[in-house]
Amino acid sequence: MPRPLRDPQPMLERAIEEWGGHEDLWIFGYGSLIWRPEFDFSERRPAHLHGWHRALKMWSRINRGTPQCPGLVFGLLSGGSCRGMVFRIPAAQGLETLGRLWLREMPTGVYDPRWLDCVTPHGRVRALAFTLSRRSPNFTGELSEARYREIFAHACGRYGTSLEYARQTLEELQRHGIHDAALMRLLRLAEAELSEAADCPRQPAGLYPNTQAPSSTNNQQENP
């Protein structure tokens, strides 16, 4: 387990206090929470968040990469807007859900949890979102196209590759009718890299999370 950047417990306590516990809990998902929430919810709605945007600009050194070859996951950065999903959790399950979310999203205290107003087809809701500060050491800053290609080709952690993570997110966004032009552009970079490497018989070391030989389809996709 990496050393915490900040103690996550005070942030959990503040989130609980700001929620209050008397009403249902809303959570805003913009990345893997959409396709792998890992909590029970009573309702899910598409939501539009103003003033923040989804960006593949957060280093991942365990889940989607390693300290030697960091991968990428999404952060919610200030500026612009973001379409995602909000999940409603009954008040009686709110405390347990927040505790589980903190174990998943906040073991190192990297995010800044915020209560943000989200626009949904059935009105506004105040939802908890995990935002990322540009001052965080996990914020990548601007990355070149060549760097994204390198990460997509090589970065792999305990949950799989950065490329797989990005593809799963895009597929789920599209399933819910959400268009993300920036993510589509990044994945086109990865496809171009894979096309250029299609005739190369040698695969990058450490790309696959297991020792089973990948199929010919997986060789082309570099995605287990």
Side-chain angles (χ1 to χ4, degrees), residues 38-163:
E38 295 185 330
F39 55 77
D40 295 328
F41 54 89
S42 58
E43 183 183 0
R44 177 175 58 189
R45 301 180 191 174
H48 193 184
L49 179 61
H50 294 278
W52 300 86
H53 68 280
R54 176 176 38 247
L56 198 61
K57 292 185 177 181
M58 179 174 165
W59 293 120
S60 174
R61 297 176 175 88
I62 295 179
N63 291 346
R64 298 292 172 172
T66 65
Q68 296 75 29
C69 183
L72 295 173
V73 292
F74 286 104
L76 194 63
L77 299 176
S78 60
S81 65
C82 178
R83 293 189 180 275
M85 306 295 293
V86 287
F87 301 86
R88 182 166 65 88
I89 296 96
Q93 283 78 54
L95 279 176
E96 178 187 359
T97 299
L98 285 173
R100 292 172 62 185
L101 272 174
W102 245 249
L103 289 175
R104 167 177 164 162
E105 304 291 340
M106 293 288 289
T108 64
V110 63
Y111 288 112
D112 294 317
R114 297 176 186 270
W115 294 96
L116 301 174
D117 289 330
C118 302
V119 179
T120 82
H122 304 290
R124 291 179 178 269
V125 299
R126 182 170 171 263
L128 182 68
F130 292 95
T131 72
L132 181 67
S133 170
R134 289 179 174 83
R135 295 187 298 273
S136 169
N138 280 37
F139 174 57
T140 66
E142 292 302 316
L143 298 175
S144 67
E145 291 187 357
R147 187 73 174 104
Y148 273 112
R149 289 192 184 103
E150 179 185 359
I151 292 167
F152 283 142
H154 297 281
C156 182
R158 64 179 177 181
Y159 292 149
T161 67
S162 292
L163 179 57

